[in-house]
Amino acid sequence: MKETDREAVATAVQRVAGMLQRPDQLDKVEQYRRREARKKASVEARLKAAIQSQLDGVRTGLSQLHSALNDVRAIQQSLADVSKDWRQSINTIESLKDVKDAVVRHSQLAAAVENLKNIFSVPEIVRETQDLIERGELLQAHRKLMDLECSRDGLMYEQYRMDSGNARDMTLIRSYFGSTQGLSDELAKQLWVVLQRSLVTVRRDPTLLVSVVRIIEREERIDRRILDRKKQTGFVPPGRPKNWKEKMFTILDRTVTTRIEGTQADTRESDRMWLVRHLEIIRKYVLDDLIVAKNLLAQCFPPHYEIFRSLLRTYHQALSTRMQDLAAEDLEANEIVSLLTWVLNTYTSVEMMGNAELAPEVDVALLEPLLSADVVSVLLDTYMSTLTSNIIAWLRKALETDKKDWVKETEPEADQDGYYQTTLPAIVFQMFEQNLQVAAQISEDLKTKVLVLYLQQMNSFLSRYKEEAQLYRDEHLRNRQHPHCYVQYMVALVNNCQTFKESVVSLKRKYLKHEAEEGISLSQPSMDGVLDAIAKEGCCSLLEEVFLDLEQHLNELMTKKWLLGSNAVDIICVTVEDYFNDFAKIKKPYRKRMIAEAHRRAVQEYLRAVMQKRISFRSAEERKDGAERMVREAEQLRFLFRKLASGFGEEMDSYCDTIVAVAEVIKLTDPSLLYLEVSTLVSKYPDIRDDHIGALLAMRGDASRDMKQTIIETLEQGPAQASPDYVPIFKDIMVPSLNVAKLLK
């Protein structure tokens, strides 16, 4: 206590020191004293109130403890009195055993009297119940059946209570009411028949269906009541529990399964479209049934049955089982497509489960897949394998059919722009288009796989196409009179290449997303190169045909007959122009290249004639006439190919300049300048060889052996370098097998 006082004094001193730090605060000492007095009074008041509250609580607790003690003593006394009375009444209870037995017998007799009327009228009730069942009055029949069962169960329960081990009396009662179980089974059969036809019955006679549901509900209540009594007494009447509600759902499940399986009316042998028809019938039946179940059937059942949700699960499970059975069969490619399209798309579309009339009860996003991912994967693998085989067979057959057209006596058909074509590209890509449309209905991934497969098979197919075109050309070269329309069909084969390219681009653009197209472009061999190679060979074959016809006239060039005045070049120009009138049926990209190649080839053949040493000029006059003739004929060729290339907006004159350059060498009158002129020729055409120069000098006929030797040796020391864009023209021109030494003689 003293320690507390000291702490209080120290705290007070500290507070006073804090308040009186300046002289002017001495004037407020009285004010501080009153404020502290008020605080002290307030604290003392709160402390007194708290102490008083604690004292009141203690007083109340003591009073309650005192009352509880008195109550415990009173209860203890009462229990002692009850124990004393119980001991005194034991003998009295034992003397009432006879009364107890009499009560039991009275209860049994009362039950017998109560059911006496029913007992004697059992045969009549059985007959009435049977008649009601046969007439379809199911509610009345069930009411009488319940009366019979109630009488039987009451008697059996009383017998069970009195003597549960007396099997003879139990058997007697069961035998007397033996028809009751038969009536119950017969009534159940009628209920199941109605339930099996529930979707039809609910439209024609919904009252009958409601009656069936009411009967099942009654039986469910009786089952629950009997099971509750079993927990107390252990007694269960015969035939209980009936579980008719559970059996009802089993019947509905079996009915749905039978209905779906029974929709297959055809087989593959009788109808190639059997699966399509089967799936369409299923779709229509299921949609109609669920709409009826949602709008009509649900109104005939108690809400807690959730009959629509139950039927939805049943239909979904039955469909899943049926789809798995179909997937396990040996399906053809088109049947796999039909099945997967139906399972993956049709089932969840507005044509079926996504139908507006089923919303919002049916949410397609919550439906489980009808087929597992593994089964779908196996089906897709089978489809791709079968499709690969089919594509190979289709392409082979299409090519064989197209080959038969190549030997026809009539010209091929032309497209809307007048270009020759065969039916091969249209047939091939129509087939591709149809299968891609089908694949697109299943999934984007399958569509991409099918397109990749087509591109792969197209590469193999184009190799066969190229081989067949080569065989076609070789066969024609063995007998140029056959086929009659060789040129026209070769033009069509070249045009087909362009059509193939355009069709491939069209398919990619239509069926591939941009990023997928880039991936395929990187992973697939380019068909453009193969098609261009086929077209190039076709164009070369056509040009070969042209130059085979020109061979006789080309052989006249650089001969005495030519020098004296031959019209060989005139005939060459007319023949080339005539052929290119037919070649106008070639599509522009290839015709342009063909004109350029024909131009190069014509000039090359002309130069080959120069190098053949068919003529050697004997005088300057002959050299002048020959050179001028060469220049005129170069201009004829230039004019011809300008005319042929006029539709392409490009000049194709450079090849003819080679003839003019060679003519300048021949025309030169001063032999001392010959080296300079030949050097100019070599610088312009780096692929010219020394044997070409030797043949050219031999054709002039005035160059001495030493001059020839000097020119050739000098040119060999410093060969000209070709520019990157230079197109060789002398490279393929062969000089007859006379070596340079002989040419120099």
Side-chain angles (χ1 to χ4, degrees):
M1 192 70 181
K2 292 180 179 180
E3 183 66 27
T4 303
D5 291 342
R6 281 197 297 272
E7 290 180 359
V9 170
T11 302
V13 170
Q14 187 177 2
R15 289 192 61 189
V16 170
M19 287 187 292
L20 302 176
Q21 292 181 353
R22 297 190 307 274
D24 59 326
Q25 289 179 328
L26 292 174
D27 297 336
K28 299 180 180 179
V29 168
E30 189 62 29
Q31 180 181 348
Y32 292 155
R33 184 182 292 111
R34 287 195 300 271
R35 185 176 65 185
E36 292 301 321
R38 285 196 301 271
K39 287 183 180 180
K40 179 181 178 183
S42 174
V43 171
E44 289 176 349
R46 288 199 300 272
L47 183 59
K48 289 178 181 179
I51 292 172
Q52 185 63 40
S53 175
Q54 291 293 329
L55 291 174
D56 291 342
V58 171
R59 188 181 296 110
T60 302
L62 291 173
S63 175
Q64 290 176 348
L65 287 173
H66 183 70
S67 299
L69 178 61
N70 293 333
D71 292 340
V72 168
R73 289 172 178 169
I75 292 171
Q76 185 178 14
Q77 183 62 39
S78 298
L79 288 174
D81 294 341
V82 168
S83 177
K84 180 179 179 181
D85 293 341
W86 177 73
R87 290 190 184 92
Q88 293 174 355
S89 63
I90 290 177
N91 296 330
T92 306
I93 293 173
E94 291 178 353
S95 64
L96 293 177
K97 185 176 184 301
D98 294 338
V99 177
K100 178 182 178 183
D101 294 340
V103 169
V104 172
R105 286 194 299 274
H106 181 271
S107 175
Q108 292 171 345
L109 290 172
V113 170
E114 184 180 351
N115 292 284
L116 192 60
K117 181 179 179 181
N118 291 336
I119 291 172
F120 286 119
S121 62
V122 164
E124 182 182 354
I125 296 174
V126 168
R127 286 193 299 272
E128 291 177 357
T129 305
Q130 186 68 44
D131 292 340
L132 289 171
I133 291 174
E134 291 175 357
R135 292 200 304 268
E137 299 178 16
L138 303 182
L139 273 178
Q140 291 81 353
H142 185 249
R143 186 175 295 108
K144 289 186 175 297
L145 177 63
M146 285 195 303
D147 292 341
L148 287 172
E149 290 180 340
C150 183
S151 298
R152 179 198 65 186
D153 297 347
L155 289 173
M156 294 185 74
Y157 176 63
E158 292 300 331
Q159 178 62 33
Y160 177 82
R161 287 177 58 196
M162 183 180 70
D163 186 4
S164 60
N166 191 343
R168 187 180 65 83
D169 290 346
M170 282 288 196
T171 304
L172 178 63
I173 298 172
R174 185 181 289 110
S175 175
Y176 187 75
F177 286 91
S179 300
T180 304
Q181 187 61 42
L183 289 174
S184 177
D185 295 340
E186 185 65 28
L187 178 61
K189 290 180 181 178
Q190 295 300 317
L191 300 183
W192 308 150
V193 169
V194 174
L195 287 171
Q196 287 171 353
R197 297 174 51 81
S198 58
L199 292 170
V200 177
T201 304
V202 75
R203 303 180 193 183
R204 299 178 180 175
D205 188 6
T207 304
L208 178 59
L209 184 60
V210 171
S211 298
V212 170
V213 176
R214 289 179 61 189
I215 291 171
I216 292 173
E217 272 291 277
R218 286 176 184 172
E219 291 294 337
E220 282 296 300
R221 286 194 294 271
I222 295 172
D223 280 349
R224 287 195 296 271
R225 187 167 62 249
I226 287 175
L227 290 175
D228 290 341
R229 188 171 65 180
K230 177 187 175 183
K231 295 176 182 178
Q232 299 173 359
T233 65
F235 174 74
V236 179
R240 292 289 178 180
K242 292 184 178 180
N243 294 322
W244 278 7
K245 180 180 178 181
E246 181 180 340
K247 292 178 181 178
M248 176 193 74
F249 283 110
T250 302
I251 292 295
L252 290 175
D253 291 351
R254 190 182 308 128
T255 301
V256 169
T257 302
T258 304
R259 181 166 174 77
I260 290 176
E261 291 178 350
T263 55
Q264 183 176 344
D266 302 303
T267 62
R268 185 183 296 121
E269 290 72 20
S270 62
D271 187 354
R272 298 292 296 174
M273 301 296 290
W274 69 276
L275 184 57
V276 174
R277 297 182 187 278
H278 181 39
L279 294 174
E280 177 58 21
I281 292 172
I282 289 178
R283 184 199 67 79
K284 186 176 184 304
Y285 280 10
V286 171
L287 179 60
D288 291 346
D289 290 354
L290 289 178
I291 290 175
V292 170
K294 176 177 179 289
N295 297 327
L296 300 177
L297 198 64
Q299 300 176 14
C300 299
F301 287 80
H304 67 272
Y305 274 46
E306 295 186 336
I307 190 65
F308 178 74
R309 188 178 299 276
S310 175
L311 279 176
L312 179 62
R313 286 195 300 269
T314 302
Y315 270 101
H316 182 79
Q317 184 59 43
L319 286 172
S320 179
T321 302
R322 183 57 183 157
M323 294 305 112
Q324 290 174 14
D325 292 342
L326 290 173
E329 295 186 15
D330 187 15
L331 298 178
E332 297 178 354
N334 62 317
E335 294 169 351
I336 292 175
V337 168
S338 299
L339 180 63
L340 289 177
T341 301
W342 197 92
V343 168
L344 300 178
N345 298 323
T346 303
Y347 183 63
T348 55
S349 70
V350 295
E351 298 178 355
M352 200 169 175
M353 292 303 188
N355 191 284
E357 293 192 51
L358 297 179
E361 283 79 358
V362 178
D363 185 354
V364 295
L366 301 179
L367 293 175
E368 294 291 329
L370 290 177
L371 292 176
S372 66
D374 291 340
V375 174
V376 172
S377 178
V378 170
L379 285 174
L380 289 176
D381 291 343
T382 304
Y383 172 72
M384 292 299 294
S385 176
T386 306
L387 183 62
T388 301
S389 302
N390 290 344
I391 289 172
I392 294 172
W394 291 336
L395 291 174
R396 184 182 296 112
K397 183 178 180 181
L399 184 54
E400 291 298 324
T401 303
D402 204 56
K403 281 169 55 182
K404 294 177 182 178
D405 293 340
W406 299 355
V407 296
K408 287 183 177 179
E409 297 294 322
T410 55
E411 294 183 354
E413 296 179 357
D415 63 11
Q416 66 272 17
D417 297 321
Y419 298 121
Y420 284 141
Q421 63 178 6
T422 68
T423 57
L424 182 62
I427 292 173
V428 169
F429 281 94
Q430 183 180 7
M431 175 188 68
F432 287 179
E433 180 85 17
Q434 290 172 352
N435 283 279
L436 282 169
Q437 288 175 355
V438 170
Q441 294 176 0
I442 298 177
S443 68
E444 286 291 323
D445 184 57
L446 179 63
K447 180 186 68 175
T448 303
K449 287 182 179 179
V450 170
L451 183 53
V452 170
L453 174 62
Y454 285 156
L455 296 179
Q456 292 172 341
Q457 293 303 320
M458 271 297 295
N459 281 292
S460 302
F461 168 74
L462 290 176
S463 298
R464 294 194 297 273
Y465 185 63
K466 181 179 180 181
E467 293 170 1
E468 294 297 339
Q470 291 171 343
L471 292 173
Y472 182 59
R473 179 199 63 190
D474 296 342
E475 186 68 26
H476 172 72
L477 291 177
R478 282 193 285 270
N479 180 6
R480 295 188 63 212
Q481 302 304 315
H482 179 80
H484 179 70
C485 296
Y486 168 78
V487 171
Q488 289 82 358
Y489 275 100
M490 186 57 76
V491 168
L493 296 187
V494 172
N495 287 338
N496 285 351
C497 294
Q498 182 65 21
T499 305
F500 278 130
K501 289 171 68 173
E502 293 170 354
S503 299
V504 168
V505 171
S506 175
L507 284 182
K508 287 184 178 180
R509 184 182 301 115
K510 185 174 182 180
Y511 291 102
L512 282 182
K513 296 180 180 178
H514 181 66
E515 56 274 13
E517 182 175 355
E518 290 180 354
I520 288 181
S521 298
L522 293 174
S523 62
Q524 295 300 318
S526 173
M527 278 185 286
D528 289 353
V530 179
L531 289 167
D532 286 342
I534 296 173
K536 183 178 180 180
E537 288 191 6
C539 292
C540 290
S541 299
L542 290 170
L543 289 179
E544 189 67 29
E545 188 74 7
V546 175
F547 284 97
L548 283 173
D549 283 352
L550 296 178
E551 187 173 2
Q552 176 185 351
H553 307 291
L554 290 171
N555 289 335
E556 287 186 16
L557 298 176
M558 304 303 142
T559 61
K560 288 291 184 183
K561 181 180 179 181
W562 169 79
L563 186 61
L564 295 174
S566 169
N567 61 350
V569 173
D570 295 334
I571 296 173
I572 289 171
C573 290
V574 170
T575 303
V576 170
E577 186 171 8
D578 182 58
Y579 266 104
F580 270 90
N581 286 334
D582 290 337
F583 297 161
K585 303 290 186 178
I586 298 177
K587 292 187 176 180
K588 282 188 175 182
Y590 298 129
R591 190 164 81 247
K592 177 182 177 182
R593 287 179 238 166
M594 195 171 179
I595 292 171
E597 180 60 22
H599 189 180
R600 189 190 71 83
R601 180 82 178 272
V603 171
Q604 196 174 53
E605 292 298 327
Y606 194 98
L607 294 174
R608 183 175 281 108
V610 172
M611 303 301 170
Q612 294 297 311
K613 303 181 297 296
R614 297 170 184 168
I615 187 174
S616 180
F617 298 118
R618 299 179 180 178
S619 65
E621 188 66 26
E622 282 189 357
R623 286 191 289 276
K624 178 182 177 183
D625 292 343
E628 289 177 352
R629 187 171 186 83
M630 289 174 67
V631 172
R632 288 197 303 273
E633 290 173 349
E635 292 303 321
Q636 281 182 268
L637 293 173
R638 191 194 306 275
F639 177 79
L640 169 66
F641 287 105
R642 277 183 177 177
K643 180 179 179 182
L644 295 178
S646 60
F648 299 101
E650 293 185 16
E651 295 293 331
M652 297 186 180
D653 300 341
S654 58
Y655 295 126
C656 291
D657 292 340
T658 311
I659 299 176
V660 175
V662 171
E664 290 297 328
V665 174
I666 294 174
K667 185 180 178 181
L668 187 66
T669 56
D670 187 355
S672 62
L673 299 176
L674 193 57
Y675 169 76
L676 182 60
E677 196 66 37
V678 171
S679 299
T680 303
L681 180 66
V682 172
S683 64
K684 291 175 66 176
Y685 306 101
D687 62 322
I688 194 168
R689 301 190 298 273
D690 54 1
D691 55 347
H692 295 143
I693 296 171
L696 186 57
L697 295 176
M699 184 178 177
R700 274 185 60 88
D702 65 340
S704 65
R705 180 178 179 181
D706 293 339
M707 182 182 295
K708 295 176 185 177
Q709 185 73 33
T710 302
I711 291 173
I712 291 174
E713 290 178 353
T714 305
L715 293 175
E716 284 179 347
Q717 294 174 1
Q721 296 295 324
S723 62
D725 57 346
Y726 173 71
V727 180
I729 192 166
F730 287 95
K731 179 180 179 181
D732 298 328
I733 299 175
M734 304 303 296
V735 177
S737 56
L738 280 176
N739 57 35
V740 176
K742 292 183 179 180
L743 289 173
L744 295 177
K745 290 181 180 179

